[in-house]
Amino acid sequence: MTMQFDRKDLPKEELVALYKKILLPRMIEEKMLVLLRQGRISKWFSGIGQEAIAAGATAALQQDEWIMPLHRNLGVFTGRNMPLHKLLMQWQGSKEGYSNGRERSFHFGSREHHICGMISHLGPQLAIADGVALAHKLSSQKKVSLAFSGEGGTSEGDFHEALNTAAVWDLPVIFVIENNGYGLSTPVNEQYRCKHLVDKAIGYGMEGVQIDGNNILTVYDTIKGVREYCIQYQKPYFIECMTFRMRGHEEASGTKYVPPALFEEWGKKDPVKNYEAWLQSENILSPADIEQIKSAHKDYIESELKTGFAAPAVVADTEEEVKDVYRQVSDVRHEIEIGSGRLAVGSKQAIVLDNASVTHDSQLTSHDKKFFDAIKEALHQSMQQHSNLVLMGQDIAEYGGAFKITDGFVHEFGKGRVRNTPLCESAIVGAALGLSLEGYKSVMEMQFADFVTVGFNQIVNNLAKIHYRWGQHADVVIRMPTGGGVGAGPFHSQSNEAWFVHTPGLKVVYPATPADAKGLLIAAINDPNPVMYFEHKGLYRSINGPVPEAYYEIEIGRARHVRSGDDISIITYGAGVHWAEDYAAGHPEISIDILDLRTLLPLDYEAIDAAVERTGKVLLLHEDTLTGGIGGEIAAWIAEHCFERLDAPVLRCASLDTPIPFNIELEKNFLANARLDATVQKLLNY
Ligand SMILES: Cc1ncc(C[n+]2csc(CCOP(=O)(O)OP(=O)(O)O)c2C)c(N)n1
């Protein structure tokens, strides 16, 4: 026998249970390879040779501890007792799978099984484990989360961010690296230069160990011990499992680049055959016992596959497809009413105000407030309302944030809920999603909206798509201090809202007044979907207005009719609202109608339609650059739906299609406002 096994004090039943757990994924895979050859399934990522890791790790955790598995971890799914017929339906893209036919292979999760599956991108799953562990820590639960990475995935920036954050925040996360020699065709010597990947642990300030990943007893025993360590000491742990990928990256891609001697060497270390031989040599299982187990597995596989292949063909239902992009807000309200969410219980519901009541409701006590203070008040009231709300961002605790919005919060709400983060936007967005898995809400402050580029993948691929993919919501708000006019140059002034408007699954809000800033932020925090909250830096201290004292929401998706006019309608948002109002005030001879969109995704088409109806001449004004800005989208919609009621072409007034220049004169020229008068005159004179 090539491998040595140490049973420690494991009873026979446990040893046999582990055998069944490692054998099942192997037998399923062997069957899948046959089905692939028969053309009955289309693609397969094989984990043959690596089963001890997924099977051992899953067995070592409690059933309600989250695992973030990858494409070779069938043993995680079978280890959590997911029925094979449903797994097959998932792989075949049937509606009865785990993702309504919307996701492929292992790219799905299941709350019931505490599995948060990968997206195709390697790396972002690691920080989600951080967020889950943070939730455990904040609620003093004695639990760990466990995330897998291949050795190739360790080269991604997300790997570094997730490990560093887990170390700095003392999070009980187990990072399991499956070092199987190749990342697609790339061997380890073209992947990294350190001698062993586990050597990286010391750089992060965490404990680590390299183990034989083909020995299920080693994997099981190590992870059991590491789990206890993580819980007791509230720290992460790094485990490098040495193993080998016995088949191609996926079945169609072959293995020509792998020297045959390696297959021979690692073939001798087969994790299933060796464990089986050891069980026999120790008289724990007889050949007849083994035959019986195999035969039971075979019967199970055959009958489950029969059920799985009988799944009906998918019939697309457009309404359902579109609806499932978002978690319905009403579902969450219901949850609050019946108090079913473990943590998602707000102490009271916010009142929902319409446009008129903010300024005219005599029942409401209002005070004049700066835009900045309105945001602060929304956050403050939300922190009081939701004991499960966590704020995260660079320098937001003692320092109060780059703009001082959260100044004083840490003293009132503590370091647990007002969290300074390391410089790692991607990991923090990922952690926010992890918090959401465990019923927490979070608001992340981007120090400047510009820096969202380094957290982009997590936002547009994880947060935005997860509800549609497998019904998990992402209860996250990202605050985006945005906009120019402050002489801050190309990387502290951008308007990047259009990137997110193009991403189904996100909501995008962009207030222009203090009352809206407060009400929309409260609404965003109460909304279970990911919301990008754009706050214009130039408005922080320059704009005042009445703000009700109450805890209230402005409904997301509703525009505000700012003023009525007969000549032209200006449809705008953010700083554009103030440009338009100033322009109208300076030109009393023109009767200008102004619509403040307030929400860019979803758009208030009813209000847009009404604005067209009022004047028949529409000007779309935004600070964002022209090409690909949201003005183009609205113009197209108006052309499609309101053509007969137009008296002129829809005009756009936007910033120049250049980066934002630093010099204040150049910046003034860049901004849309510089061309507002000319555009208004052109429209009037059409
Ligand atoms: C961000 C990203 N870049 C590239 C890919 C394409 N890709 C899929 S798997 C893979 C190799 C991964 O190697 P490793 O992390 O070692 O895992 P293994 O496949 O060996 O289990 C690559 C390059 C990807 N999925 N994600």
Side-chain angles (χ1 to χ4, degrees):
M1 206 188 321
T2 328
M3 285 165 58
Q4 302 298 314
F5 290 86
D6 179 359
R7 73 181 283 179
K8 302 261 168 88
D9 50 6
L10 289 180
K12 176 182 169 184
E13 303 73 52
E14 215 166 329
L15 295 169
V16 175
L18 284 173
Y19 174 64
K20 290 179 182 169
K21 283 177 194 296
I22 194 173
L23 181 66
L24 183 59
R26 168 66 59 92
M27 288 182 69
I28 292 174
E29 281 220 40
E30 283 170 346
K31 180 73 188 179
M32 287 299 141
L33 298 184
V34 174
L35 294 173
L36 193 67
R37 278 194 291 277
Q38 292 171 347
R40 297 189 69 198
I41 62 168
S42 59
K43 207 172 174 81
W44 189 255
F45 288 90
S46 173
I48 287 182
Q50 304 180 207
E51 295 96 333
I53 302 167
T58 308
L61 296 196
Q62 299 296 307
Q63 292 282 327
D64 62 353
E65 288 176 315
W66 284 93
I67 300 182
M68 286 67 190
L70 292 177
H71 47 293
R72 295 188 206 289
N73 296 138
L74 174 58
V76 171
F77 299 86
T78 53
R80 285 276 159 97
N81 302 317
M82 288 175 139
L84 179 58
H85 74 267
K86 199 161 159 94
L87 285 172
L88 181 74
M89 289 167 171
Q90 164 63 29
W91 300 328
Q92 296 290 83
S94 113
K95 237 178 164 37
E96 282 73 18
Y98 286 96
S99 65
N100 278 314
R102 293 167 185 159
E103 258 293 16
R104 53 185 260 183
S105 64
F106 291 99
H107 299 184
F108 68 96
S110 162
R111 287 194 65 75
E112 183 193 344
H113 300 92
H114 289 81
I115 289 176
C116 178
M118 66 187 296
I119 59 171
S120 293
H121 299 60
L122 299 167
Q125 80 282 357
L126 296 157
I128 304 176
D130 284 1
V132 166
L134 176 58
H136 293 154
K137 196 179 186 81
L138 291 174
S139 54
S140 304
Q141 294 182 72
K142 292 187 176 2
K143 285 184 183 175
V144 293
S145 55
L146 183 151
F148 286 95
S149 173
E151 86 290 343
T154 67
S155 303
E156 292 284 351
D158 271 326
F159 175 83
H160 165 70
E161 290 194 14
L163 269 73
N164 187 55
T165 301
V168 172
W169 283 0
D170 293 322
L171 301 176
V173 190
I174 305 176
F175 296 103
V176 175
I177 314 307
E178 293 186 78
N179 191 339
N180 65 4
Y182 288 84
L184 212 161
S185 74
T186 306
V188 294
N189 65 354
E190 292 183 35
Q191 195 69 251
Y192 54 83
R193 268 294 166 274
C194 55
K195 200 163 168 202
H196 303 291
L197 280 174
V198 70
D199 295 342
K200 295 196 177 201
I202 195 165
Y204 292 112
M206 68 174 76
E207 296 291 326
V209 65
Q210 187 187 65
I211 61 171
D212 178 356
N214 281 22
N215 186 322
I216 189 160
L217 295 189
T218 305
V219 173
Y220 180 66
D221 182 58
T222 303
I223 295 187
K224 273 200 129 175
V226 163
R227 178 181 175 273
E228 277 164 26
Y229 164 93
C230 292
I231 290 172
Q232 185 179 348
Y233 296 100
Q234 288 293 294
K235 297 240 179 244
Y237 205 101
F238 186 118
I239 304 175
E240 181 182 14
C241 297
M242 302 311 291
T243 185
F244 197 71
R245 198 190 67 203
M246 292 301 285
R247 303 198 61 88
H249 169 64
E250 49 91 27
E251 284 308 310
S253 62
T255 53
K256 270 195 189 141
Y257 47 85
V258 182
L262 281 177
F263 285 122
E264 204 175 312
E265 180 192 329
W266 283 91
K268 289 183 195 143
K269 294 193 255 186
D270 184 294
V272 181
K273 287 186 188 147
N274 275 279
Y275 186 51
E276 187 180 289
W278 177 78
L279 289 168
Q280 288 194 65
S281 70
E282 296 287 308
N283 292 322
I284 295 165
L285 286 178
S286 67
D289 294 333
I290 286 172
E291 264 329 295
Q292 200 188 8
I293 291 169
K294 285 188 175 166
S295 155
H297 274 359
K298 188 165 181 289
D299 291 348
Y300 168 74
I301 292 170
E302 292 301 335
S303 93
E304 287 287 298
L305 291 183
K306 212 166 151 195
T307 315
F309 277 121
V314 173
V315 181
D317 174 343
T318 303
E319 204 175 303
E320 188 180 314
E321 289 303 291
V322 173
K323 180 177 139 285
D324 286 356
V325 173
Y326 295 96
R327 175 97 189 257
Q328 300 305 302
V329 179
S330 55
D331 291 355
V332 181
R333 289 209 194 290
H334 180 65
E335 247 174 44
I336 292 171
E337 274 159 28
I338 62 175
S340 66
R342 186 172 55 78
L343 286 157
V345 181
S347 54
K348 75 174 188 224
Q349 264 195 35
I351 51 171
V352 181
L353 297 184
D354 58 22
N355 297 338
S357 56
V358 169
T359 40
H360 303 303
D361 190 335
S362 55
Q363 305 287 309
L364 291 170
T365 316
S366 291
H367 295 288
D368 217 46
K369 281 205 157 63
K370 285 190 170 33
F371 193 82
F372 167 91
D373 289 312
I375 296 173
K376 187 171 179 132
E377 192 166 285
L379 278 179
H380 189 260
Q381 289 184 353
S382 296
M383 286 294 274
Q384 290 174 327
Q385 292 300 325
H386 302 285
S387 59
N388 61 332
L389 173 61
V390 177
L391 307 184
M392 300 185 283
Q394 289 152 23
D395 311 292
I396 68 160
E398 292 81 359
Y399 187 70
F403 298 99
K404 303 289 177 201
I405 296 257
T406 51
D407 203 15
F409 277 43
V410 73
H411 302 299
E412 190 174 345
F413 301 107
K415 292 251 327 164
R417 292 178 61 206
V418 183
R419 307 187 71 85
N420 278 339
T421 72
L423 283 169
C424 53
E425 288 75 6
S426 184
I428 302 308
V429 181
L433 178 53
L435 282 170
S436 188
L437 291 184
E438 278 290 298
Y440 277 81
K441 288 178 167 291
S442 58
V443 175
M444 178 198 177
E445 175 179 301
M446 282 289 161
Q447 200 154 69
F448 284 79
D450 307 67
F451 303 137
V452 76
T453 45
V454 277
F456 195 70
N457 184 40
Q458 291 280 25
I459 296 172
V460 303
N461 284 323
N462 252 334
L463 298 191
K465 297 178 175 51
I466 196 164
H467 191 266
Y468 176 75
R469 292 170 59 236
W470 54 276
Q472 170 61 49
H473 66 289
D475 201 342
V476 181
V477 176
I478 301 187
R479 288 185 35 232
M480 301 279 281
T482 192
V486 288
F491 305 110
H492 285 81
S493 316
Q494 290 172 82
S495 295
N496 50 26
E497 61 273 14
W499 299 346
F500 302 100
V501 172
H502 191 60
T503 305
L506 299 177
K507 293 189 180 181
V508 180
V509 298
Y510 201 144
T513 67
D516 284 351
K518 178 174 168 184
L520 279 172
L521 183 49
I522 289 173
I525 292 169
N526 287 335
D527 195 305
N529 296 288
V531 182
M532 305 299 290
Y533 177 88
F534 284 84
E535 46 191 71
H536 198 295
K537 308 187 293 282
L539 306 184
Y540 275 159
R541 292 185 169 78
S542 67
I543 299 296
N544 275 45
V547 178
E549 260 178 14
Y551 174 63
Y552 69 93
E553 290 183 10
I554 295 288
E555 195 182 340
I556 292 177
R558 285 259 169 271
R560 178 176 67 101
H561 188 200
V562 181
R563 59 175 277 165
S564 295
D566 304 321
D567 292 337
I568 62 165
S569 296
I570 300 183
I571 300 177
T572 183
Y573 58 94
V577 175
H578 302 285
W579 292 339
E581 284 193 281
D582 289 350
Y583 185 86
H587 295 80
E589 72 285 4
I590 316 173
S591 178
I592 299 181
D593 188 273
I594 301 176
L595 183 71
D596 172 5
L597 291 167
R598 299 199 289 198
T599 299
L600 306 182
L601 184 64
L603 277 169
D604 186 347
Y605 289 112
E606 216 177 287
I608 294 168
D609 186 280
V612 178
E613 181 70 29
R614 283 192 292 270
T615 66
K617 288 191 172 184
V618 178
L619 191 162
L620 299 165
L621 170 66
H622 56 61
E623 180 175 332
D624 195 0
T625 49
L626 183 76
T627 305
I630 188 154
E633 179 61 33
I634 299 171
W637 187 87
I638 293 173
E640 281 177 35
H641 297 89
C642 316
F643 184 71
E644 290 82 7
R645 286 175 282 147
L646 287 174
D647 295 326
V650 177
L651 294 191
R652 290 174 296 162
C653 179
S655 295
L656 293 181
D657 280 332
T658 68
I660 307 179
F662 163 64
N663 177 283
I664 207 79
E665 287 309 314
L666 292 178
E667 190 188 32
K668 257 196 226 160
N669 178 60
F670 162 86
L671 290 170
N673 202 21
R675 286 165 293 285
L676 182 55
D677 182 45
T679 321
V680 169
Q681 295 303 331
K682 188 172 165 192
L683 187 58
L684 275 177
N685 296 327
Y686 182 81

